[in-house]
Each structure stands twice: as structure tokens, then as C-alpha cells.
Amino acid sequence: MERNPMRRQLASLRKSLFDQGYLDEQFMELEQLQDDANPNFVEEVVTLYYRDSARLIVNLDHALERRPLDFSKLDGLMHQFKGSSSSIGAKKVKAESTLFREYCKSGNAEGCMRTFQQLKKEYATLRKKLETYFQLARQIGPMESANRPK
Amino acid sequence: MTVEQIGSEGKDQFPIGMRVLAVDDDPTCLLLLGTLLRRCQYHVTTTSQAKTALKMLRENKNKFDLVISDVHMPDMDGFKLLEHVGLEMDLPVIMLSANGDTKLVMKGITHGACDYLLKPVRIEELQNIWQHVVRRKKKDRCNSGSKEKPHPDSGEAAGIGNVDNNGKLNKKRKDQNEDEDYERDENGHDNEDPSAQKKPRVVWSVELHRKFVAAVNQLGIDKAVPKKILELMNVEKLTRENVASHLQKFRLYLKRISCVANQQANMAAALGTADSAYLRMGSLNGLGNFHTLAGSDQLHNAAFRSFPPSGVLGRLNTPAGLGIRGLPSPGTIQLGHVQNSGNPTNDLSKLQSFVPGNHNTNILQGMPMSLELDRLQHNKSVGHIGELPTTDSTTVFPGSGNLVDARITGFSNNPLLGVTSNSLMLEGSSQQATSHTSVSAIGFQNGNALSDFTSIAPASNQLQDSKAGSQGQASPINCNAGQIIRSAPQEWNAPRKDAPYQSHASINSSIPINSAMIQLGQCLDRNNSIFHKTTDLDSVGPLNFVDPLSIKHGEGDNSIMEPSVIEKEGYLMFQPRPHGSHVPDNIGSLEDLASAMMKQEGGCNGYSLRTSI
């Protein structure tokens, strides 16, 4: 079936996301929650995440423009962002968040700003990859959930 | 396994269908959490606003079994929400956070969270959260009146032990018990355990308690032995054991009162005479509640004003104590009545005593004040207590004091009163009124508190029941943060059935004349009717809380109180009172109160710690 190559492609894409450290086990938890009653759950959550966290990113950007930096506020914002990111299993993004918070705690403005740039990169990269992944998954259709490795 | 398959209540299949309220401002996390919970077959309600959550909880205390909340939320701190829920509804709360710092976890525990989970939460962790519900129910049962009945607990324990059927069974039993209890009518025996293996639980009604106190007074607190008390009381079906355990609680109560009284004194001093101070005081002491209730024009204010400064006990004599009495303040009119009757003090005391002992313990502090007031007003009331350590406090205790006593005791130690701080104040009033009137706040926050209370005051049983019941009842009084008080009342209300008891409640309400009144007033309004009826309270003696306010001294012409009582939203502190009650109309007040109390109490309450203090 023409689906098979697509499925294989999807499986391979998925595996690479894990292997390359973009996603962690939490993503698998999301997949577990997807079922017939909730066929697009993973995509829904990820979409929601990107929508909501965009707001946080904007706030963080603004906060990083102030002088002097309000570390506690930055830390608070990042804490929220980290919570969200970890909920979808965004591993690299989460790692950057943690690092950012460390810099906040030690009052390292330079470190904060640098880390934030890196974080945004990872955040964007993951989004692209996941978009591709979901697109492919949708093409394969509902059969996919049955075949998707659990 | 979809939600639809589960019954709305799911009680029969517990934990399936357990009703959970999930609160998290992060939509991603909330969606995930909700889905996970539904996968566990719970019945889930989600909200991203803590305020909305509180509102939902207050609307119907029986609507949820468990609350899961994030710690960091923009509109309200998760810990605050935790406090509120604990105080008002006594529901198990699980905290969630991406931050697993030991400090934070500790904070959660001290604030009363029954668990602390780290995000991202996994389904395995959520599959067992129902244990918290069962545990709490069991605990409540025990507290209710378990003292005399060990069996039920063990029975429950056994039930709980086996997760599956037993768990369900247990729950069923619990539910049944609760149902039975309510049906049985508060006066009935404690229903906690349907299987009263040992003997039927004794409900210490106001009347009964009054007799008890009278007997104790007669014998002298030092010489009061259960056997003799029993003889003097001459009540059928009352056993020596019943009296003994009640006596023990009574003693604890007295001790607590004296502790509180001291605190009060300190508080009063600290607060000063400023109105604002009053408010704070009121709330803190429970008197504060009055303030809030009283809403400026009420006596409350006056009462409070005079209140502050002297120590709690000493208060009676001091203006502070007199607060009520001497309410010179405008609203005092009511007080005037109160004063005359001497009972008012009781009421005040009551009000104060209601200060929830639990979390905010502070309120309790306030309570002593009321007690004092009572005392001042009635020296005679004091007399009853006799040896009671803080005479002032004691007055409250005797007879009518049940409520008060309970409160007061609860004041220092939550256990006794279990009164939530807020509730205390209001409690007084709420009791009477409507089952919901928060006044019952006596702080019964938790069933436990109630239990303790019961020993002190007959209400205890009721409280417990109310506790259970209060959930939904949330007495009207609370509109705001005051809810806390409300919560208490609910329970209190339950006891209401007990006429004499109710009087107490009413009295309490009366006391609030001050700001507290307002809050209570709300409750009272409803309760007031009760007051009037409860003349018993009056008869109880000065201690009757009821007197002052509602009864007007004897017959409780609640009218006085009524005004104050009238729907003032603000529970103690939260009441927005136009009068000028200082009571802050926000949740914060509770915090402040708690803080105040805390200071006074010096940490009597674990919770107070967390409050804004």
C-alpha cells in the first residue's frame, strides 16, 4: 500500500526526533492518551502549546529588553514556559529553559540573553519538525494511530 | 473507559467517577491534566482561573471530591487557593508544579496540601490520587466522633486497605454514613460510622453542654470528676465515658482559651485602637470578624475598638473586651443590647470564638476577644466557668458557649475547634442561620475541627456533619473570602437542628454586631430567626452567645443583629461592608487576618504561617 512507505517515513521521523533529543518520554505519554475518542490529541496539545507559549516568548523578549534586567520576573516567566514545554516533551527547549533559569538565579544577564536566543532556535526547529510530522501523520490518516508504535 | 461510561457521581464505583477540579493557568498543562484525569476515569472539571475554581467550589461544596491545582498562577497563588479550599471546604488538594524545590514542597505541605506532584505529571501518579479522598473521609469520620468509637475507624481502615472493592465499599459506607447522618438529624447521634459498634455517639447539644458546664461549675473545675458530673447532670443514656471525654475536651478548650486570651491581649495591644486596627483585630481575634461584620456602624466597630488593647482575658474588663459592651461606636446599638444582657459578650465571644481555629488560627485569637467582651459584659457569665482558666474565656464556654467554646478552643489548636479561622467569627452567626451561614465558621473547617468542637460544644457533632454538609452549604455569609467562615457555619448549621444549639449560633451572630456581625449577620440573618427562637441560649446564661445579639438578652430579638447580619457579603473580613468596616473585601483579608492571628498566636496555626504574614 502506498501508505506503507509513508508509515515507514513517519516512524523514522518520529524515531529521529527522539534519538536527536528533540523529544522525550513525555511525548510518548501524549501519544498514549490519543485514542479513538481523541484521535488528534497529540497534535492538539502541541498546537495549543505553540500558540500559548508564543505569548510567553514575546513577554520574555520584552523583559530581556529592559535595563536592568528583572531576574525574578524573567525566572517566573521562564518557569511557566518550562512547565509548558515539559508537558509536551520538548526536551531541548526544556534544557535551555533550565539553563536560562540558572542564569537568572545567578544574575547573569549575558548568560540569560544568550541562552534565550538558543532557546528560541530550538523552539522554532522543533516546531518545524513537528509540523512535518503531523502533516505526514494526517496524510496517512486514521490508520496511523493503529500502527503507530506505542 | 470514556468518561461517558462513568456515572456522574460514580460513587458506587469509586474511584471511578471521582469528581476532580483541575486548576492551571497554562492551557497546555491543563489540557494534558484534564485528559490524563479522564483517562483515569475521573469526572473532571477544568478551569484556568483560581478565582473561578473557588467560586465553583463555594457554589456547591459537595460538587467535588478533590482539587488539583498548579502552584504558580497569575490571579492567585496556588498556596492561597489551597488555604482557602482547606479552610472552607476541607477538600483534599494536590499541588502541581514544574518546580520541585524542597522548599516549595514543604510550603505545600504546611499549607495543607495532601500531595505535591511535579510536572509533567504522569498518569500513574494520577491513578492513585483518590486515596487522598478516602483518607480524608476516614479522617473526618474519625474526628467526628470517633473518640468514643474506635470501631468505625478500624472498619474504615479495613475498607480502605483494600483498594478495590473495599475501597469502594468503604466509600459507600462513608457515603451512607453521611447520608444517614444528615437524615438522622443533627441531634441524632454522630453518624460518622453507621456501625457504631460500641455505643451510639452522644451528641453534645447545647442543652447538654450547658448542663455539663453547670455541673462542672458547681463542682469546681478542679474537682469535677466525670462520675459526679454525670450525677449532677442526670441525663439518661449518658455514660461516664461520654462525660469523661467531653470533660477532657472542655479542659483543653479552657486551656486554649487562656492561650488565646493572652494572644488576644497581645493582639489588642498591637492593634491599637485604630479602627483599622480594629478591623484587623476583629478579624484576627475573631472579633475582627465582628468588625467586618459590623460594618462600621454596627456595634461591632465599637466593640472592637474597645477591644484591642487589653489582653484577651483581661479584655473583658478593658474596653477592648468590652468592645462589645462598651461599644461606644456607632453601630453599637446592638451592642447596647448585648451589653445589657450581658450576653452580648457571649455573643461576641462567640463570634470570636468562632474564629476559625484552623488554618488561620488567628481568628481564634480574635475569639478570645469576644470572650472577653462577653465577660465584661457579663460578669456573671464568667462566673459560670468558675475555675476556667480564663474566666473570660470560659464564660463563653459554659452553656451557650458551646459554640464559642468550641471556637475558642479551636482557636489555638485547630483540632479543637477545627474552626477555620475565618469561620470562627462568622461561625457564630452562621450557625444559626442558615445552614449555610458561614458563621458556623466556627471554624470547623475540617470535620476534625468539628469533632473537637463537639466535645466542647454540642455542636461538634453537628459540625462534623455540617462539615460534610457544609461543603455545599457554604453559608451565605461568605460571599467573599469570608467563605471560610462560611464553611464553618455549614457545619455548624447542621447542628442547627438543635435548637439550643442554634441559639448559640445566633448568639454568635449577635456578637458580631461589630463587623463580625456583618458577616455573621449574613448568616445571622438567617440564623437570627434561630436566635430568637433559641431562647435557650438566653437561658444559658450570659455565656450564651446568642443573647447578645439575637436574643437581645433573653429572647433574642435578633433584630439588632439582623441589620448587621444582613447579607453582608464579607465574611469576616471580606465583607465589603460599606459601613466602613475595615474588613478588607478580599481574600487578602483572610490572609491578613491569618497573619494577624499568627503573630498573636505565635504560630499556633501552621497555616497562619503561610498567610500573608
Side-chain angles (χ1 to χ4, degrees):
Chain A
M1 280 187 10
E2 61 204 20
R3 288 228 188 112
N4 283 343
M6 284 167 82
R7 287 214 190 91
R8 273 202 296 274
Q9 195 184 350
L10 187 73
S12 153
L13 179 53
R14 180 180 175 278
K15 188 169 185 299
S16 75
L17 286 171
F18 283 106
D19 289 346
Q20 290 168 20
Y22 286 101
L23 296 175
D24 61 25
E25 304 76 33
Q26 180 62 23
F27 191 81
M28 290 179 194
E29 296 276 335
L30 294 184
E31 290 174 321
Q32 302 259 357
L33 289 174
Q34 183 155 309
D35 56 14
D36 293 340
N38 235 334
N40 299 312
F41 181 68
V42 186
E43 191 177 352
E44 274 171 30
V45 178
V46 171
T47 306
L48 183 57
Y49 163 73
Y50 272 102
R51 199 178 335 132
D52 184 62
S53 56
R55 175 183 53 89
L56 285 170
I57 297 275
V58 166
N59 291 344
L60 277 160
D61 262 324
H62 287 163
L64 281 166
E65 280 163 15
R66 291 170 181 271
R67 292 291 176 275
L69 288 184
D70 181 347
F71 289 109
S72 99
K73 177 168 182 195
L74 286 169
D75 186 63
L77 285 169
M78 189 50 78
H79 171 85
Q80 272 184 275
F81 182 81
K82 182 181 169 186
S84 265
S85 306
S86 63
S87 291
I88 69 155
K91 196 171 179 181
K92 290 197 180 185
V93 173
K94 181 179 167 186
E96 295 296 333
S97 310
T98 305
L99 188 55
F100 183 92
R101 293 190 74 200
E102 298 289 321
Y103 284 128
C104 280
K105 288 197 184 78
S106 56
N108 187 336
E110 176 65 36
C112 280
M113 289 190 279
R114 207 176 18 176
T115 306
F116 190 61
Q117 297 310 313
Q118 185 61 24
L119 182 149
K120 282 196 281 188
K121 269 207 219 116
E122 295 293 348
Y123 177 80
T125 305
L126 179 64
R127 178 180 8 213
K128 276 205 222 79
K129 288 186 185 277
L130 284 174
E131 273 171 6
T132 306
Y133 177 79
F134 289 126
Q135 224 165 23
L136 188 54
R138 264 184 266 119
Q139 277 173 18
I140 292 173
M143 291 302 294
E144 185 49 36
S145 54
N147 296 334
R148 183 174 306 143
K150 293 271 185 231
Chain B
M1 88 174 99
T2 59
V3 176
E4 293 75 42
Q5 290 168 0
I6 308 222
S8 58
E9 279 311 329
K11 286 207 167 160
D12 301 321
Q13 301 166 286
F14 188 84
I16 289 176
M18 182 173 81
R19 300 155 306 165
V20 182
L21 175 63
V23 190
D24 194 332
D25 65 308
D26 185 320
T28 311
C29 297
L30 191 62
L31 173 59
L32 177 60
L33 182 63
T35 309
L36 282 168
L37 289 168
R38 289 191 180 99
R39 183 56 71 91
C40 294
Q41 299 184 279
Y42 300 139
H43 188 268
V44 187
T45 306
T46 58
T47 175
S48 60
Q49 302 268 328
K51 297 215 165 93
T52 308
L54 260 184
K55 183 158 162 286
M56 281 197 270
L57 287 164
R58 284 173 184 157
E59 266 164 20
N60 181 1
K61 298 232 161 121
N62 283 324
K63 209 162 152 215
F64 299 103
D65 297 309
L66 178 87
V67 179
I68 296 189
S69 167
D70 184 31
V71 167
H72 295 271
M73 291 188 285
D75 67 330
M76 187 194 299
D77 184 31
F79 294 118
K80 257 204 190 149
L81 174 65
L82 166 58
E83 278 180 29
H84 280 296
V85 174
L87 280 174
E88 299 177 34
M89 296 115 205
D90 187 32
L91 282 177
V93 181
I94 294 179
M95 302 305 294
L96 264 188
S97 179
N99 190 338
D101 274 356
T102 306
K103 280 199 303 286
L104 268 188
V105 176
M106 179 64 81
K107 195 173 175 196
I109 305 296
T110 54
H111 279 55
C114 50
D115 207 347
Y116 194 106
L117 302 177
L118 286 190
K119 286 186 193 176
V121 137
R122 286 164 311 138
I123 197 164
E124 295 81 20
E125 294 174 300
L126 294 176
Q127 270 162 347
N128 284 334
I129 57 174
W130 58 266
Q131 62 177 282
H132 300 293
V133 175
V134 170
R135 196 177 296 133
R136 187 160 294 220
K137 286 210 169 129
K138 181 169 181 301
K139 182 164 67 99
D140 285 354
R141 255 170 232 260
C142 291
N143 290 329
S144 299
S146 59
K147 304 224 168 104
E148 308 184 279
K149 300 191 232 202
H151 287 287
D153 299 338
S154 37
E156 305 260 339
I160 297 190
N162 306 319
V163 174
D164 297 292
N165 296 335
N166 290 347
K168 290 193 194 154
L169 195 53
N170 234 3
K171 169 113 166 106
K172 245 195 195 141
R173 270 179 57 204
K174 286 198 176 126
D175 294 341
Q176 283 170 358
N177 290 340
E178 282 165 9
D179 291 342
E180 286 169 16
D181 290 345
Y182 290 121
E183 288 163 3
R184 241 187 289 185
D185 195 30
E186 326 26 318
N187 289 325
H189 297 285
D190 196 54
N191 14 6
E192 300 278 312
D193 305 327
S195 49
Q197 288 89 6
K198 299 289 188 178
K199 49 193 160 195
R201 216 177 116 72
V202 170
V203 169
W204 280 89
S205 67
V206 163
E207 202 47 61
L208 200 58
H209 182 73
R210 203 185 313 168
K211 279 197 184 144
F212 171 84
V213 173
V216 168
N217 282 332
Q218 201 172 324
L219 294 166
I221 191 72
D222 291 339
K223 295 214 182 64
V225 285
K227 188 147 180 284
K228 296 215 181 110
I229 296 175
L230 187 62
E231 281 166 14
L232 275 177
M233 282 176 70
N234 191 25
V235 169
E236 270 183 27
K237 295 202 192 130
L238 194 65
T239 70
R240 198 200 70 80
E241 288 74 25
N242 296 144
V243 174
S245 86
H246 192 76
L247 177 65
Q248 186 180 36
K249 290 176 189 164
F250 185 75
R251 287 218 175 99
L252 282 172
Y253 164 76
L254 293 180
K255 224 194 287 181
R256 190 165 308 162
I257 295 184
S258 61
C259 164
V260 167
N262 290 335
Q263 305 248 351
Q264 291 264 341
N266 295 338
M267 253 198 344
L271 290 175
T273 48
D275 274 2
S276 51
Y278 256 130
L279 282 179
R280 268 178 291 133
M281 275 206 3
S283 34
L284 289 179
N285 295 319
L287 278 181
N289 293 328
F290 288 99
H291 276 299
T292 45
L293 289 177
S296 56
D297 36 42
Q298 305 284 345
L299 287 176
H300 310 299
N301 294 328
F304 285 105
R305 276 190 265 225
S306 39
F307 232 48
S310 349
V312 171
L313 289 181
R315 299 270 189 70
L316 286 182
N317 299 308
T318 60
L322 293 176
I324 304 198
R325 285 192 305 188
L327 289 179
S329 51
T332 48
I333 301 174
Q334 306 218 353
L335 280 181
H337 288 275
V338 170
Q339 296 183 352
N340 298 331
S341 49
N343 290 327
T345 40
N346 290 331
D347 287 354
L348 280 177
S349 317
K350 295 221 175 143
L351 285 175
Q352 305 211 330
S353 24
F354 277 123
V355 172
N358 296 333
H359 299 281
N360 297 313
T361 37
N362 292 331
I363 302 205
L364 282 177
Q365 296 210 344
M367 291 207 340
M369 302 234 346
S370 47
L371 285 177
E372 297 200 316
L373 285 176
D374 284 343
R375 297 220 203 222
L376 289 174
Q377 306 221 1
H378 300 290
N379 286 320
K380 45 183 175 151
S381 1
V382 176
H384 283 294
I385 309 279
E387 342 265 308
L388 293 177
T390 53
T391 7
D392 298 332
S393 325
T394 50
T395 40
V396 173
F397 201 109
S400 60
N402 287 341
L403 284 181
V404 172
D405 292 333
R407 293 185 297 186
I408 305 213
T409 13
F411 184 68
S412 323
N413 309 310
N414 298 324
L416 253 188
L417 288 182
V419 173
T420 46
S421 28
N422 295 330
S423 30
L424 281 177
M425 292 296 295
L426 293 180
E427 291 293 1
S429 31
S430 33
Q431 298 222 332
Q432 328 169 343
T434 51
S435 42
H436 300 289
T437 43
S438 31
V439 177
S440 346
I442 301 209
F444 298 124
Q445 232 182 25
N446 307 308
N448 301 331
L450 291 177
S451 337
D452 289 323
F453 216 60
T454 0
S455 48
I456 307 262
S460 45
N461 291 329
Q462 302 171 345
L463 288 177
Q464 300 193 344
D465 294 338
S466 6
K467 215 67 233 35
S470 37
Q471 298 274 316
Q473 301 187 329
S475 39
I477 302 189
N478 328 300
C479 300
N480 312 325
Q483 296 273 344
I484 300 200
I485 304 202
R486 247 206 312 190
S487 39
Q490 295 197 347
E491 306 177 331
W492 208 246
N493 287 323
R496 264 202 318 134
K497 298 213 186 156
D498 238 40
Y501 217 43
Q502 306 203 337
S503 333
H504 283 296
S506 33
I507 301 198
N508 292 318
S509 347
S510 1
I511 304 201
I513 305 199
N514 303 317
S515 47
M517 287 290 293
I518 307 259
Q519 305 200 352
L520 288 175
Q522 305 219 340
C523 304
L524 293 176
D525 272 328
R526 301 196 233 244
N527 291 322
N528 282 328
S529 50
I530 302 190
F531 288 112
H532 301 297
K533 300 185 200 156
T534 45
T535 17
D536 297 346
L537 290 177
D538 288 38
S539 49
V540 170
L543 294 183
N544 301 336
F545 295 104
V546 171
D547 280 333
L549 295 172
S550 46
I551 314 243
K552 276 207 211 164
H553 304 322
E555 227 351 311
D557 193 357
N558 290 334
S559 50
I560 301 185
M561 296 220 346
E562 301 274 68
S564 47
V565 179
I566 317 258
E567 320 284 330
K568 281 303 185 139
E569 290 279 83
Y571 255 122
L572 297 175
M573 306 189 266
F574 302 117
Q575 286 253 358
R577 287 181 308 178
H579 299 299
S581 27
H582 297 282
V583 181
D585 184 11
N586 51 49
I587 297 184
S589 27
L590 181 53
E591 291 292 309
D592 292 342
L593 202 78
S595 315
M597 299 244 170
M598 285 267 317
K599 290 187 191 144
Q600 304 286 331
E601 280 284 24
C604 280
N605 318 314
Y607 287 116
S608 354
L609 289 173
R610 43 190 177 98
T611 52
S612 45
I613 305 188

